[in-house]
Amino acid sequence: MELTLPNLLFVLLAGWLAGWGAARVGYPSVLGELVVGILLGPPVLGLLQGSPALAVLAELGILLMMLYVGMEIDPRELGKASWGGMLAAVGGFVTPFVLAYVTMIWFGLPPLGATFVGIAAGVTSLTTKSRILVDLRLLDTRIAHVMMAGALISDTLSLILFAGVLGVVEAGAVDAVGILIVAAKVVVFFAVTFFSGLRVFPIVGKWLTRVGLASRTFHFTFVLLLAVAFGELAHLAGLHAILGAFLAGLFLRDNVLGRSLSHDLLGAVREASIGFLAPVFFVTAGFEVTLGVFRTDLPLLAALVGVATVAKIFGTAAFYVFSGNGWREGLTIGAGMNGRGAVEIIVAGIALEAGLISRDVFSILVFMAIFTTATVPFLLKWGTEWLKRRGELIRSSEQRRGMVVVGGGPTARALSRLIAPTRPVHLVDSNPARCHTARMEGLLATCGNAFEEQILGEAGASDAQTLIAMTPNVEVNALVAQLARSVFLIPEILMIRDDSRGSGDRSAREHLKAGRLFGSNIDLSLWDRRITQGTTTETVIPVTAELGAASRWMQDRQRDGSILPLIIRRDGEAIPFESDEPLRQGDEIVALEQIAVPAGAGDQFDALVAEAPVLDVSGAMRLEEFFALLAEGLAEHLDLPANQIFDRLWRREQAGSTVVVPGLAIPHLPLEGEGRFQIFVGRARDGIQFPTHMEPVVAVFVLASTPDQRTAHLRALSAIAQLANSPGFEERWRNGTGEAAIREIVRSATRRRFEGTSTPDDGSPGQRQRPLEPTVHDGE
């Protein structure tokens, strides 16, 4: 079996040009490939010829195409359509089978031959239809999942019946035992493939990753081997190999290969199948046509094509209406399932070889495959446009409701709290303290690196309609947004705008077609700080007229940077405020507005507390656990590794207890350098068990300072010690809700406050200090 390279070259070239031409006029490239096979092949011009080598390539092409379709389809969506797929399969097989059988008996064909024709009429081609779904971009719709499930069930039924009929022919009578044996083989096949896919594949995938065999080339070969192996299993079970390849692709999910690798391999399989080998199959399929049937058997050809088409479409719709999804969707699915091809031609070829049908009937079946397949893009395109106009074309992306917010700072949490009542919201942040605070505020939060697919997956990215990237780092935002779009296929991406970072921010947003969150350039760190300090208030602004894009409204409102619009309330929904979102009459804009803070309202300690990170924990906790959580939260503020912070806190505690009064501890965290002094506040409602004290600690103030800040350190110690003696402090401390409330409890406590300014102890420029003379200030 020699492969003639010039013949292969011209087959590929003809298929590529014809497919490109068909796509240019709005139809699937498969139609062009079939037509060019007829025109340039033996039926008309005879410029191209088939060969055994081309037949092998064509068979490999349909195997790879089915592998690709299996990898493309989400089994969860396929499972949702299983009932509809069963109804479509039964209606789409039984109706054309019966009517085609009756038609062939009417035209004088023997019963066995008529049975084979009925089977061929009932077949739904996975390969032909899958290619059309790809070209028309319908793979993410419900009708596509129903058609794929229906075709899988239909072809299985067809091949089981086909095998049973062959048993009848060989035995000369109905062989019930033969049919049972074939059915048993099918059951074993599905049992083996499902067990392998669900149990064995994930274990093998993890093992390959663990031993370092994670290259793209290795996995591509591994995937091809699995497809061929599953194809052979199907063949051994009396089914066609394309069913095995399809199931192999279906089981090669993210838990086997990982999302990034699965995405890369999906592209590689697509190019190898649809871009190279599948056109060989469709072009050479055109070679099998005999045009003489138009002269000798035109009435039979017309009757069979008409019956097969009408019975497939209306039979499918009649059964599918019981799914509850409507008769219009049923008709569209029937039109999509009307395509035939590989399986039908295989059935016809075996029947011809067995002498059950004549060559003319064989040619009629080939033409039926071509004509019915040719109707699919026209009818399916018309049907889907019909559903679109009526708003009844259901896409998987339209069923997504979730939102993933990358970044757990105060502004991100404020936005999430407003949206969470109307749709699922999940925050992602690498800072455990921020994640803990988000959970305390009633939000869902996943702690981890958003660059990791597993973390985004745990945050519900697979079901998310929107991803909001709002970390202070625009490069991080761009990379996470790219991952969300390319791997998780999240339709809507929103990013904060920071033009101060240069053109990179704008180019990243333009490349991803991402919307501009908040409609204008903002300083996220500034707003985080304002919220932390309690210098913002929530305001509702009604929209009294049609105002156009939100960005235009922001041009007049954001000049002084004192307002930050968070959401648009519309018809019970909370829509993130995004630059291109139109503002309509009746909308309400919920925004944060900066409020003025009167001068002299407190001393340096109050100012430090206003900016201090707050760690609010619940549940009884050991000191090591609290210090570990605290260290993670302080790492980014102090630019120190978390393990170093933990070691310093732990060593200081080992040197002597930092509990100053029952329930209150003031750990000291020494820092290197000069002029650095910060306060960190922790509250544990159920208490932290310090080693040398029986009573749990509920209030922790960590003082982080360099050696030159001794005066500031002593004043802070004095101020904190006075808090415990402030009337009602303990009760308010335990019952306060949220960071702002905790800061207000400290600010409003009765204690001595230092006024004025001074320089650091060593006289060098640095931290602002208060003079030693105190005044009494009740904080009210």
Side-chain angles (χ1 to χ4, degrees):
M1 181 178 63
E2 183 179 355
L3 177 63
T4 306
L5 291 180
N7 193 39
L8 173 62
L9 172 63
F10 289 123
V11 167
L12 290 173
L13 181 61
W16 174 58
L17 291 175
W20 175 81
R24 288 284 292 177
V25 296
Y27 292 99
S29 54
V30 60
L31 192 62
E33 293 161 1
L34 284 169
V35 171
V36 81
I38 296 172
L39 295 178
L40 299 183
V44 180
L45 298 178
L47 299 177
L48 299 176
Q49 300 293 329
S51 69
L54 281 180
V56 172
L57 291 179
E59 186 73 14
L60 182 58
I62 61 172
L63 279 177
L64 287 184
M65 173 173 284
M66 292 314 304
L67 173 66
Y68 164 69
V69 173
M71 295 176 70
E72 179 72 30
I73 289 181
D74 190 337
R76 294 174 299 178
E77 297 294 335
L78 191 62
K80 294 175 186 177
S82 58
W83 172 237
M86 177 64 74
L87 292 173
V90 173
F93 176 76
V94 172
T95 309
F97 171 81
V98 171
L99 293 183
Y101 176 85
V102 172
T103 299
M104 297 310 292
I105 293 294
W106 180 270
F107 277 90
L109 201 69
L112 278 178
T115 301
F116 274 97
V117 173
I119 294 173
V123 164
T124 295
S125 173
L126 284 170
T127 52
T128 304
K129 182 172 54 57
S130 63
R131 176 65 179 271
I132 293 169
L133 291 173
V134 171
D135 288 346
L136 293 181
R137 299 183 179 181
L138 295 174
L139 274 179
D140 65 336
T141 61
R142 181 170 65 194
I143 61 172
H145 299 312
V146 170
M147 283 190 285
M148 294 305 299
L152 179 62
I153 297 168
S154 175
D155 278 358
T156 303
L157 294 174
S158 301
L159 291 170
I160 291 174
L161 182 58
F162 174 60
V165 173
L166 281 180
V168 170
V169 172
E170 293 175 358
V174 176
D175 187 358
V177 175
I179 295 176
L180 289 176
I181 291 174
V182 171
K185 288 182 179 180
V186 172
V187 171
V188 171
F189 164 73
F190 278 104
V192 170
T193 53
F194 271 75
F195 176 79
S196 300
L198 297 175
R199 299 293 184 182
V200 179
F201 279 17
I203 296 174
V204 173
K206 292 177 181 178
W207 179 79
L208 291 175
T209 302
R210 188 167 59 250
V211 299
L213 297 175
S215 70
R216 185 173 181 264
T217 301
F218 177 88
H219 277 91
F220 181 70
T221 306
F222 175 66
V223 166
L224 294 182
L225 291 174
L226 288 178
V228 174
F230 268 49
E232 178 60 20
L233 285 175
H235 176 71
L236 293 174
L239 303 173
H240 193 269
I242 60 175
L243 293 177
F246 174 78
L247 289 176
L250 203 63
F251 290 126
L252 289 170
R253 309 312 305 167
D254 307 331
N255 63 332
V256 177
L257 302 172
R259 286 188 178 270
S260 290
L261 187 56
S262 294
H263 183 72
D264 289 344
L265 291 177
L266 181 65
V269 173
R270 174 188 169 89
E271 297 307 321
S273 60
I274 294 178
F276 175 47
L277 291 173
V280 176
F281 168 76
F282 289 109
V283 172
T284 55
F287 295 172
E288 305 300 323
V289 172
T290 300
L291 298 179
V293 294
F294 287 97
R295 184 176 60 256
T296 60
D297 295 290
L298 184 58
L300 177 57
L301 172 61
L304 186 58
V305 171
V307 165
T309 299
V310 172
K312 176 71 78 171
I313 294 174
F314 287 94
T316 300
F319 278 72
Y320 185 72
V321 73
F322 294 103
S323 70
N325 294 328
W327 60 271
R328 282 179 289 268
E329 187 168 301
L331 286 177
T332 303
I333 291 171
M337 294 181 67
N338 190 42
R340 297 161 180 86
V343 176
E344 184 208 349
I345 293 173
I346 291 169
V347 169
I350 295 174
L352 177 64
E353 184 179 354
L356 299 174
I357 59 175
S358 65
R359 184 164 294 278
D360 287 341
V361 173
F362 171 78
S363 298
I364 289 173
L365 292 178
V366 172
F367 267 115
M368 183 178 71
I370 294 173
F371 290 156
T372 55
T373 300
T375 67
V376 171
F378 298 96
L379 296 178
L380 187 57
K381 185 174 182 180
W382 176 83
T384 53
E385 291 295 334
W386 184 31
L387 294 177
K388 283 180 183 178
R389 288 193 299 270
R390 298 184 59 86
E392 297 176 3
L393 181 65
I394 306 300
R395 292 187 180 273
S396 302
S397 60
E398 293 173 358
Q399 296 177 319
R400 295 182 176 213
R401 287 282 298 159
M403 174 182 294
V404 176
V405 179
V406 178
T411 308
R413 297 199 302 273
L415 174 65
S416 300
R417 285 195 301 272
L418 291 172
I419 297 175
T422 65
R423 62 195 292 192
V425 179
H426 207 120
L427 273 75
V428 179
D429 199 290
S430 60
N431 188 318
R434 287 183 173 179
C435 292
H436 183 82
T437 301
R439 296 187 190 108
M440 292 294 293
E441 294 176 359
L443 297 169
L444 296 174
T446 295
C447 192
N449 191 336
F451 292 146
E452 297 179 11
E453 300 163 17
Q454 182 181 354
I455 296 299
L456 281 183
E458 291 175 1
S462 297
D463 298 318
Q465 168 71 17
T466 306
L467 179 128
I468 295 179
M470 54 183 305
T471 74
N473 190 316
V474 295
E475 289 81 10
V476 169
N477 292 338
L479 291 172
V480 171
Q482 178 66 45
L483 180 66
R485 174 64 58 77
S486 61
V487 175
F488 292 92
L489 306 178
I490 295 180
E492 183 181 28
I493 304 293
L494 301 178
M495 300 167 61
I496 61 171
R497 175 181 176 180
D498 191 351
D499 290 340
S500 64
R501 302 285 182 140
S503 61
D505 177 43
R506 291 192 298 274
S507 63
R509 284 188 286 105
E510 291 170 359
H511 173 68
L512 294 168
K513 294 182 173 58
R516 293 181 299 174
L517 189 63
F518 307 130
S520 181
N521 182 31
I522 73 158
D523 186 336
L524 183 64
S525 298
L526 174 62
W527 280 101
D528 281 348
R529 189 161 57 251
R530 287 172 176 173
I531 295 172
T532 298
Q533 294 172 351
T535 60
T536 63
T537 185
E538 186 178 296
T539 183
V540 178
I541 305 169
V543 178
T544 57
E546 302 290 328
L547 299 179
S551 57
R552 296 176 56 187
W553 181 85
M554 280 299 296
Q555 290 175 1
D556 298 327
R557 295 272 184 163
Q558 185 68 358
R559 296 187 187 282
D560 59 354
S562 62
I563 191 169
L564 180 68
L566 297 177
I567 65 166
I568 302 169
R569 282 181 180 157
R570 177 184 301 152
D571 299 328
E573 292 290 322
I575 304 169
F577 193 96
E578 183 256 320
S579 58
D580 295 328
E581 182 67 32
L583 293 177
R584 304 171 185 171
Q585 186 174 359
D587 289 348
E588 290 182 339
I589 300 171
V590 182
L592 292 177
E593 190 170 6
Q594 184 184 17
I595 57 176
V597 180
D603 59 6
Q604 183 198 22
F605 179 77
D606 288 325
L608 289 171
V609 170
E611 297 185 5
V614 176
L615 178 60
D616 191 9
V617 299
S618 60
M621 187 173 292
R622 293 184 297 110
L623 182 60
E624 297 95 316
E625 296 174 325
F626 180 77
F627 275 177
L629 196 60
L630 184 65
E632 290 287 347
L634 302 186
E636 67 174 274
H637 294 281
L638 298 176
D639 196 24
L640 284 173
N643 61 333
Q644 289 190 21
I645 295 175
F646 177 87
D647 289 342
R648 294 181 187 185
L649 290 171
W650 188 252
R651 284 199 304 268
R652 174 62 186 84
E653 193 65 34
Q654 296 297 103
S657 177
T658 58
V659 178
V660 293
V661 295
L664 174 65
I666 312 177
H668 176 221
L669 180 63
L671 302 176
E672 292 80 13
E674 297 180 348
R676 300 177 64 189
F677 184 70
Q678 288 181 266
I679 295 176
F680 302 93
V681 181
R683 179 179 67 171
R685 300 188 188 198
D686 300 310
I688 306 164
Q689 194 61 57
F690 277 63
T692 57
H693 291 265
M694 294 294 294
E695 183 175 344
V697 170
V698 296
V700 178
F701 291 82
V702 179
L703 306 183
S705 62
T706 53
D708 61 321
Q709 296 299 304
R710 184 172 178 272
T711 299
H713 185 89
L714 292 174
R715 289 174 178 168
L717 284 172
S718 174
I720 296 168
Q722 294 176 62
L723 295 178
N725 298 320
S726 178
F729 173 79
E730 182 176 353
E731 181 180 357
R732 284 182 292 143
W733 181 261
R734 287 181 179 272
N735 297 329
T737 303
E739 295 182 11
I742 292 174
R743 292 189 180 89
E744 179 60 22
I745 291 169
V746 176
R747 191 198 70 81
S748 61
T750 301
R751 65 174 181 83
R752 295 182 302 168
R753 282 171 166 79
F754 297 96
E755 297 182 349
T757 60
S758 69
T759 57
D761 294 351
D762 60 358
S764 63
Q767 186 74 36
R768 292 165 56 91
Q769 303 290 339
R770 305 290 183 183
L772 294 178
E773 294 299 325
T775 60
V776 177
H777 179 66
D778 63 6
E780 299 297 330

